[in-house]
Amino acid sequence: MSYRVIALDLDGTLLDPQKNILSESITALSEACQTGIKILIVTGRHHVAIHPFYQALQLDTPAICCNGAYSYDYHAKKVLAADPLSIQEASQALSYLQGAEVEHLMYVDDAILYEFPHTVTRTFAWSNSLPEHQRPTLQHIKNFQEALHNVNFIWKFATSSPDLEKLRQVSEQIEKNVGLECEWSWFDQVDITKKGNSKGMRLQQWVESQGMSMKDVLAFGDNYNDLSMLEAAGLGVAMGNAVDDVKARADLVTKNNAQPGIAEVIRKYVL
């Protein structure tokens, strides 16, 4: 089988534990690009938080962001296709989050909003390590409920808690009572988006718009929010550090994200 698209999750997959892309991955992906293969970043991140990776790979394809909530054209600086949360849906989700002592950020328009500085400590540390032109826009607000009425698009809520059982309970309540999509994207993080959004859905939308099918796709991922694209792809590859359920449902398991497993798979199945 020859693949025409390579789809890559970022955190835990293309990025090593220090949030860098391995040189082996950059080389293999560059060689794949030169043969005409399309490379897509498919991430839970906001588009403002993937500048260094998009530029390191020198991509010309859209980025699929916030677990498929939207696709974004970097060169034209515009949203291509999107299904954001409504104000009512976001407000209802907030009513569960704010009373549950679950940390949460709100991804909107071209910024990540936060109420309390401690919820973005790690993000600020990473941001400050970047050149200024690559830093994400992090905006402090006083109240999320008020902020809902001052933005155009609400992409997702990123929620986290060291109390995993509480996080599970709250996300299940939001799924059941508000009807939103709640996906685990890290061991202690659940992302909340509009029902029906997924990486697989948005990736398939773009792939088919290019006259191809998901059989033409080689996809890499490591967590539950990657399953929709791994299972739909012609070849779905789980990282060695992936969640066990993801490994079990992938077509192939490669090395962990600190090792050149992505490059090895590309060289074996693509180049």
Side-chain angles (χ1 to χ4, degrees), residues 49-221:
I50 65 174
H51 289 298
F53 318 121
Y54 192 88
Q55 290 163 7
L57 297 175
Q58 299 181 321
L59 300 180
D60 61 359
T61 50
I64 294 173
C65 303
C66 292
N67 298 331
Y70 65 107
S71 54
Y72 186 79
D73 183 328
Y74 258 93
H75 299 282
K77 292 182 170 54
K78 68 177 183 179
V79 173
L80 298 177
D83 291 292
L85 292 164
S86 68
I87 291 175
Q88 181 180 10
E89 289 169 331
S91 180
Q92 288 179 309
L94 280 170
S95 69
Y96 286 94
L97 296 172
Q98 291 175 321
E101 297 180 359
V102 170
E103 293 183 359
H104 49 285
L105 306 173
M106 189 162 75
Y107 289 37
V108 303
D109 300 338
D110 296 308
I112 297 170
L113 308 186
Y114 67 96
E115 280 186 346
F116 305 106
H118 73 272
T119 60
V120 285
T121 301
R122 285 185 298 178
T123 307
F124 264 121
W126 173 71
S127 175
N128 291 336
S129 72
L130 299 172
E132 192 167 344
H133 71 280
Q134 291 185 336
R135 293 176 184 174
T137 303
L138 302 168
Q139 184 178 338
H140 180 248
I141 57 166
K142 291 182 178 180
N143 184 283
F144 277 126
Q145 290 283 7
E146 292 179 7
L148 295 177
H149 302 278
N150 299 319
V151 300
N152 295 312
F153 300 110
I154 306 161
W155 304 127
K156 80 168 188 179
F157 290 101
T159 72
S160 63
S161 174
D163 187 338
L164 301 185
E165 184 55 34
K166 176 180 285 188
L167 187 58
R168 187 180 304 279
Q169 289 174 358
V170 172
S171 61
E172 287 176 352
Q173 288 176 331
I174 291 173
E175 274 193 326
K176 179 181 178 181
N177 299 324
V178 188
L180 300 182
E181 203 78 58
C182 296
E183 291 188 306
W184 290 82
S185 58
W186 205 247
F187 77 94
D188 63 349
Q189 179 170 313
V190 173
D191 293 342
I192 301 170
T193 65
K194 194 174 188 70
K195 190 72 174 177
N197 282 333
S198 71
K199 291 184 176 185
M201 177 278 293
R202 195 67 65 193
L203 176 60
Q204 182 173 343
Q205 182 184 67
W206 181 83
V207 166
E208 291 180 350
S209 76
Q210 303 300 301
M212 297 179 284
S213 78
M214 289 298 287
K215 291 182 180 179
D216 297 311
V217 177
L218 166 60
F220 294 88

